[in-house]
Amino acid sequence: MRFEGQSFQCSMLEGGVAELRLDLKGESVNKFDNPTLAELAEVVGLLKADPEVKGLLLISGKEVGFVVGADINMFLGLFRQPEEQLIEYLMSVHKVFSAMEDFDFPTVTAIHGFAVGGGMELATSTSYRVMATTARIGFPETKLGIFPGWGGTVRLPRLIGADHAIEWITGGDHHSAEESLKLGVVDAVVAPEKLREAALDLLAQAMAGRRDWKARRRVKLSPLALNPVESRMVFESSKAFVGGKFGPNYPAPLAAVASMERGSTHGRDEALAIEAEDFARVAKSPTTFALVTNFLGDQFVGKLAKKLAKSGTRVKSAGVLGAGIMGGGIAHQSAAKGTPIVMKDIDEKALALGLAEASKLLAKAVERGKMTPMGMAEVLTRIRPTLSFGDFQGIDLVVEAVTENEKVKKLVLAEVESHLRADAILASNTSTISITRLGEGLSRPENFCGMHFFNPVNRMPLVEVIRGRRSSDLAVATTVGYALAMGKTPIVVNDCPGFLVNRVLIPFFLAFDSLVNDGVDFKRIDKVMETFGWPMGPAYLLDVVGTDTAYHAIQVMAQGFPDRMAAADKSAVDVMYELKRFGQKNGKGFYAYVTDKKGFPKKEVDPEVAAILKPLVRQDTSATISDQDIIDRMMLPMIIECSRCLEDQIVTTAVEVDMGLLYGLGFPTFRGGALYYAGAVGLQALCRKAETFRSLGKLYEPTAQMLSLAQAGRTFYEEK
Ligand code: NAD
């Protein structure tokens, strides 16, 4: 049997062994797209019909790994089909994978690199799996709002037991070779260079009758080996746990458990039909569409950034000015990802604190087994603390992260510029000051741009790279490249007050202030917005950001956009600021904070706050304001400002806006970003709703872009 396709190539080895290689031509990785699946069906048919074939080795021809899973680009089109059509499609894939499982000869999959999703589902339909020590496998489908739909929920529990399968499928994590072997997902683990040889050896044993591959198959074709009591125990407790862990906004993990349960009393074919039915239902949920769109958005911004970085200069050594919260975080992140960094401060104590913070983060990584003590020591050698500019000549890029004060920053930037090479790039981590203005005092403003990180630097994926009026393409591209090297997602933003993220966050806070002025209890607003999906409601978020920081940011925005961001009334943020209730940082804000046993701040209701906010209420209309009104009043100003950012060409695409909000603000992922959410609600409905809030001012006035999209029945994602 010989086959030479676009995705599969098959050749015969000695003794009737067919070697089937998966190697998609013209692609860097193997993924299952429709042509690959069609080719697999063809190859499986040919293998079945060939009497010469006595055993099959399935292996990848790509150095990077086995299969990364299904091609996610095809998901949205697939999931938009009517349910029956989707079920039909899934059943056609089941037919191919089951035919592979039903060959009357044994089969072995050799796994190296990554084998996830559909790749693992195919692998579990073969008799045995051999895995390289360095490989990682898993079923990440629930992260996209679906669950394994090519037999994963049927084969995995039959292979390793329902409890482990539930853990793997609902968790969506990648697993090591050691763990996979222990649970029996794979049958052997070997060094990567021995993989093919070991897989062929295992196959020879099965072909020679020294391994009972048919008995193993019988287990996979039968109902789950659980009696009714065991079954109830496993599935009921899992449903309670998984339902509680993921909540109603992420239905896929619970649906996966329910589907495994429904299929558990049936043989393979009936169970596969059940999986197809349940999958088709969950695939059509709005959460799935949002999560898949986010995934594609992430790929889109990643590709944009990589392309841009190619035209920049690689940053081999970096510097950071200021060893505070942000400077310390930037130094840690740079060093941890391999770029050595000089950290300068004017205060020796601050330097020691910055280093201590980096050590603490690294020690945590060691504790979690993500880094060795040696690795930690090596990373620390990449951070060079200093009080002088002596070390700055050799540096390619410096991030300024000193105190947020325009005068101080201008002085510091001019000083550092005089110590740098003429081609070095200078970037400011300012949150609110105009990059164009900061660049004015420099002798090489073209080498200057913004590099806005989010707090905490090690955890927040976004970096806004801000292009000032005089920033050169090279400065922007080099900074984007450095952000990528630090493991971040950079998005290029043109200079404006608040850049992208703070520009759209402040209207959200102003909407909160206006609800409080209308007598709505801030705790109710928090609860409604947390139920909507925000990780924390606006009052809690203000406490975390710091009401002092928010107050200053609001002042800047009010100056920048007085038509809509200069509030007429005294606001809740104003009062908190005046009373020095700065939030978590000093233990009192909208809430009071106590330190819990683990040393984290715990929020509590502060009985004083109601009386503090009462004088702000213009007229208490809270009884007429529904929870949906709260959501609309909070979300509309944010959506409208996002649209303004597109109209003003601050950001180029709706996808970048949404990824900025997801990665910089913690926008609820299951709703996509703000612009995706607007499309899901419908722009016509939103514009109608905005009309009812007209008296609240310009923050609620839809943009021309929104109105024209609404009129055309389009969304921000289908602009043209
Ligand atoms: P911070 O007060 O924790 O740290 C500032 C550090 O700068 C201090 O260690 C101070 O000693 C040092 N410094 C002051 N003048 C200096 C000089 N001339 N040379 C060298 N060091 C000097 O402040 P932070 O929160 O780390 O903020 C730093 C910058 O990052 C600000 O521009 C801020 O707006 C921005 N930012 C902060 C956050 C946040 O959440 N904290 C988020 C994004 C951006």
Side-chain angles (χ1 to χ4, degrees):
M1 149 78 189
R2 281 193 69 80
F3 185 85
E4 199 49 51
Q6 287 301 307
S7 304
F8 286 96
Q9 300 84 40
C10 190
S11 57
M12 289 305 289
L13 310 178
E14 274 175 25
V17 172
E19 176 168 354
L20 182 59
R21 280 190 172 255
L22 178 53
D23 192 352
L24 267 70
K25 291 195 178 148
E27 295 280 351
S28 54
V29 292
N30 286 327
K31 55 189 173 189
F32 282 122
D33 49 16
N34 282 331
T36 301
L37 284 169
E39 221 175 87
L40 179 64
E42 189 185 346
V43 178
V44 166
L46 292 171
L47 284 164
K48 191 175 168 187
D50 189 339
E52 302 290 308
V53 180
K54 305 282 185 246
L56 175 78
L57 168 69
L58 175 62
I59 193 163
S60 158
K62 298 265 184 250
E63 218 170 278
V64 287
F66 183 61
V67 192
V68 294
D71 181 359
I72 292 161
N73 287 303
M74 69 181 185
F75 278 11
L76 294 179
L78 202 60
F79 299 165
R80 276 196 194 105
Q81 297 175 0
E83 232 171 89
E84 312 77 68
Q85 228 167 301
L86 184 51
I87 293 174
E88 209 175 291
Y89 160 82
L90 293 164
M91 292 308 290
S92 73
V93 180
H94 284 333
K95 205 167 137 200
V96 180
F97 283 27
S98 295
M100 182 110 169
E101 195 163 48
D102 293 340
F103 282 148
D104 49 18
F105 46 80
T107 50
V108 175
T109 309
I111 301 168
H112 73 280
F114 268 103
V116 290
M120 268 317 290
E121 293 182 281
L122 179 64
T124 52
S125 67
T126 60
S127 321
Y128 298 102
R129 285 146 299 283
V130 180
M131 182 173 177
T133 44
T134 47
R136 308 278 288 168
I137 65 177
F139 296 84
E141 288 85 346
T142 52
K143 299 212 157 122
L144 291 175
I146 48 174
F147 57 74
W150 291 347
T153 67
V154 175
R155 294 191 175 92
L156 193 65
R158 282 157 180 76
L159 207 58
I160 63 173
D163 45 356
H164 293 307
I166 289 169
E167 210 179 304
W168 274 45
I169 286 172
T170 61
D173 298 325
H174 295 149
H175 301 272
S176 67
E178 191 187 358
E179 193 188 347
S180 308
L181 182 65
K182 200 168 108 199
L183 294 186
V185 185
V186 300
D187 304 280
V189 168
V190 294
E193 63 278 11
K194 300 239 169 78
L195 181 68
R196 182 169 174 276
E197 189 191 320
L200 283 171
D201 183 52
L202 180 57
L203 183 60
Q205 291 177 35
M207 286 163 69
R210 277 183 277 129
R211 285 202 181 230
D212 193 351
W213 59 276
K214 285 190 178 159
R216 299 205 67 194
R217 180 166 65 191
R218 271 196 299 280
V219 175
K220 287 198 282 167
L221 302 188
S222 311
L224 262 180
L226 288 175
N227 68 39
V229 177
E230 289 168 338
S231 173
R232 223 180 11 257
M233 269 180 50
V234 172
F235 288 111
E236 289 308 319
S237 61
S238 296
K239 279 192 289 190
F241 176 76
V242 169
K245 181 172 169 194
F246 294 96
N249 296 328
Y250 295 89
L254 188 57
V257 182
S259 191
M260 282 188 254
E261 181 181 21
R262 242 163 50 87
S264 64
T265 52
H266 298 274
R268 179 194 68 188
D269 293 340
E270 294 81 7
L272 287 175
I274 288 169
E275 182 194 82
E277 252 177 43
D278 293 342
F279 181 98
R281 213 170 314 117
V282 85
K284 297 191 82 61
S285 82
T287 300
T288 305
F289 280 83
L291 294 181
V292 172
T293 305
N294 295 347
F295 179 90
L296 297 173
D298 177 77
Q299 287 201 321
F300 175 79
V301 295
K303 272 189 199 147
L304 272 188
K306 277 189 203 130
K307 196 167 156 219
L308 190 56
K310 278 196 187 135
S311 55
T313 314
R314 196 168 87 79
V315 173
K316 293 197 260 329
S317 70
V320 62
L321 298 179
I325 300 174
M326 298 306 285
I330 291 164
H332 159 264
Q333 188 69 21
S334 182
K337 294 289 173 184
T339 311
I341 187 159
V342 179
M343 176 167 70
K344 182 186 176 306
D345 205 290
I346 45 170
D347 178 357
E348 202 156 346
K349 273 199 220 113
L351 277 180
L353 270 178
L355 260 188
E357 192 54 35
S359 305
K360 208 162 90 190
L361 290 172
L362 294 168
K364 265 192 207 148
V366 173
E367 211 177 284
R368 281 199 224 105
K370 303 220 155 150
M371 187 180 269
T372 61
M374 285 265 284
M376 170 173 167
E378 199 186 320
V379 170
L380 282 174
T381 63
R382 291 193 205 118
I383 305 177
R384 208 147 24 102
T386 181
L387 290 168
S388 79
F389 281 111
D391 291 321
F392 276 63
Q393 256 300 314
I395 283 174
D396 303 314
L397 185 148
V398 175
V399 186
E400 170 280 306
V402 305
T403 323
E404 184 77 354
N405 175 308
E406 187 161 341
K407 261 198 206 139
V408 174
K409 282 198 191 282
K410 278 188 166 160
L411 281 174
V412 171
L413 286 168
E415 191 182 8
V416 66
E417 189 188 38
S418 69
H419 292 277
L420 291 175
R421 282 195 328 260
D423 62 340
I425 306 298
L426 193 48
S428 173
N429 180 44
T430 176
S431 324
T432 52
I433 307 168
S434 157
I435 292 299
T436 302
R437 257 196 347 259
L438 281 180
E440 276 163 7
L442 295 173
S443 48
R444 296 185 293 273
E446 66 281 7
N447 286 0
F448 176 67
C449 65
M451 189 176 193
H452 186 212
F453 289 86
F454 292 79
N455 186 16
V457 176
N458 66 316
R459 290 228 306 272
M460 297 298 282
L462 181 69
V463 171
E464 290 179 290
V465 175
I466 299 125
R467 185 193 288 274
R469 201 169 305 135
R470 298 188 57 188
S471 309
S472 68
D473 289 344
L474 182 68
V476 169
T478 302
T479 308
V480 162
Y482 180 45
L484 281 175
M486 287 173 86
K488 298 293 168 193
T489 303
I491 290 180
V492 179
V493 177
N494 281 322
D495 192 20
C496 70
F499 315 130
L500 168 68
V501 172
N502 285 335
R503 177 165 164 179
V504 304
L505 176 63
I506 297 302
F508 185 76
F509 286 152
L510 293 174
F512 165 79
D513 280 338
S514 126
L515 280 163
V516 174
N517 288 140
D518 283 344
V520 185
D521 180 3
F522 72 92
K523 297 186 291 305
R524 178 178 167 213
I525 305 172
D526 270 5
K527 195 162 159 243
V528 170
M529 295 317 286
E530 283 163 16
T531 308
F532 174 83
W534 282 93
M536 46 186 100
Y540 188 18
L541 182 58
L542 279 161
D543 275 356
V544 172
V545 168
T547 55
D548 52 341
T549 306
Y551 176 84
H552 288 298
I554 290 171
Q555 303 294 307
V556 171
M557 300 305 287
Q559 254 181 19
F561 307 109
D563 60 335
R564 53 192 189 276
M565 299 203 204
D569 297 308
K570 190 166 221 183
S571 74
V573 174
D574 294 339
V575 174
M576 289 292 153
Y577 174 69
E578 280 166 15
L579 294 175
K580 297 199 169 30
R581 295 184 68 104
F582 297 149
Q584 265 186 3
K585 67 176 75 159
N586 67 354
K588 270 183 179 193
F590 286 95
Y591 300 92
Y593 295 87
V594 289
T595 307
D596 72 8
K597 277 187 215 138
K598 288 185 184 159
F600 293 115
K602 192 170 142 254
K603 125 175 122 70
E604 284 179 351
V605 172
D606 184 337
E608 285 175 26
V609 175
I612 293 175
L613 296 178
K614 200 154 183 243
L616 300 176
V617 179
R618 292 173 292 221
Q619 196 190 351
D620 190 344
T621 53
S622 58
T624 64
I625 298 174
S626 69
D627 287 355
Q628 188 57 47
D629 288 337
I630 293 180
I631 294 171
D632 292 333
R633 277 182 64 168
M634 291 298 300
M635 295 306 298
L636 266 167
M638 180 177 265
I639 293 165
I640 291 170
E641 203 57 38
C642 285
S643 170
R644 286 189 204 284
C645 285
L646 285 174
E647 283 191 340
D648 295 351
Q649 295 177 348
I650 298 304
V651 178
T652 319
T653 61
V655 178
E656 288 163 278
V657 172
D658 279 349
M659 295 318 290
L661 267 59
L662 288 165
Y663 288 162
L665 269 190
F667 193 95
T669 50
F670 72 97
R671 295 201 185 270
L675 295 179
Y676 180 86
Y677 165 73
V681 176
L683 284 175
Q684 274 178 3
L686 274 180
C687 289
R688 272 198 306 274
K689 193 83 199 191
E691 186 61 34
T692 67
F693 298 138
R694 214 182 182 160
S695 61
L696 294 170
K698 200 160 174 194
L699 273 183
Y700 291 87
E701 193 178 290
T703 60
Q705 181 196 31
M706 282 176 79
L707 291 169
S708 87
L709 286 173
Q711 203 176 19
R714 296 206 180 108
T715 70
F716 289 100
Y717 278 63
E718 324 152 296
E719 218 182 329
K720 295 191 188 76

